[in-house]
Amino acid sequence: MCRAVDLHQAVLAKNDATAHTLRAGLTARGTTVVNLLSSPGSGKTALLERELLLARERGLPVAALTADLATENDAVRLARSGVPVKQVLTDGLCHLEAAMLHRHLEGWLPDDTRLLFVENVGNLVCPASYDLGESLRVVLASVTEGEDKPLKYPTAFGLAHLVVVTKTDIADAVEFDEAAFRAHVEQVNPGVEVLLTSTRRGQGAGELLDRALAVADGAPVHAPVMGRCQDDVAQGHTHTHIHAHAGADHHAHPDHDHHDQAGHPDHDQADHHPVGHPDHHRAGPGAMSPTRS
């Protein structure tokens, strides 16, 4: 049995149950969710835009949902790929939750969607603790963030199925130590793959898409040990129970108080902005308009 760490466990347990149901439902219809986590400014949106363009070129039915505290900037950018894109404004909440994702997918996600990329709120603390029903969790870090990022945010990196390094084209300029970064990742998440990418130079183009497709086709994912109940480890379960609020990185985030509001009715009012609303300004091949759920 997992020992109760704090009062947030009840909230997380409810989220885990919702995530389990969501994952099962999406898997049954043939949709695989990829949850992308990173700090602000890591290049997450740029990488995702490139992967969506490649998916469209290959004729793969994909979609993207992007979450932010404010602005539609990321969704406007991703809509240029021509795939279905939806913006979720979290109204100050520093992370997505499974119930929020489930609600925003209803009536929007095309039936034939094979991959759904979820661009989580830019934050390596709050989102790390919430399972969204994803089958592939990807944590990104740019070379400008420093080699010790995995040690500063062990929950986020420790629960990743895949780690992606971005902006490698400027690695020399910022004196990024790849070997040290890999060693730190290995320290918190032994055996997880580290993928190097540069959107500007095309390094790693399509590799995230390929790995997501492999998972959709039934390939096993890396099973992180951190945060899992000992009972699950003993039984060989690969699903991660994310109960990490007592970790050192939990107290470092200024928006921590939002966790106490999880499930508050105000959170259910987060704006969602689907592509293609006729009343919104045009943005490339798609457009969005604020609506209230």
Side-chain angles (χ1 to χ4, degrees), residues 274-285:
V275 172
H277 194 287
D279 294 331
H280 195 277
H281 59 79
R282 296 295 297 174

Side-chain angles (χ1 to χ4, degrees), residues 188-205:
V188 300
N189 193 348
V192 70
E193 180 183 8
V194 176
L195 176 65
L196 303 180
T197 68
S198 167
T199 302
R200 290 179 60 189
R201 291 183 178 174
Q203 180 183 10

Side-chain angles (χ1 to χ4, degrees), residues 71-141:
T71 82
E72 303 172 18
N73 296 347
D74 289 349
V76 170
R77 182 174 183 176
L78 295 177
R80 298 186 305 204
S81 66
V83 308
V85 173
K86 188 174 190 179
Q87 177 78 59
V88 173
L89 298 183
T90 63
D91 194 26
L93 188 64
C94 60
H95 61 275
L96 282 175
E97 297 175 9
M100 295 169 62
L101 180 61
H102 183 267
R103 185 176 63 258
H104 289 300
L105 296 182
E106 289 183 342
W108 169 73
L109 189 66
D111 292 337
D112 65 343
T113 303
R114 191 171 183 197
L115 296 175
L116 170 64
F117 290 91
V118 177
E119 184 180 14
N120 218 314
V121 179
N123 179 349
L124 282 177
V125 181
C126 307
S129 297
Y130 287 83
D131 184 354
L132 298 183
E134 70 265 20
S135 296
L136 181 65
R137 173 176 288 215
V138 183
V139 175
L140 301 90

Side-chain angles (χ1 to χ4, degrees), residues 263-274:
H264 189 282
D266 287 347
H267 292 174
D268 294 338
Q269 299 301 315
D271 291 327
H272 59 95
H273 301 230

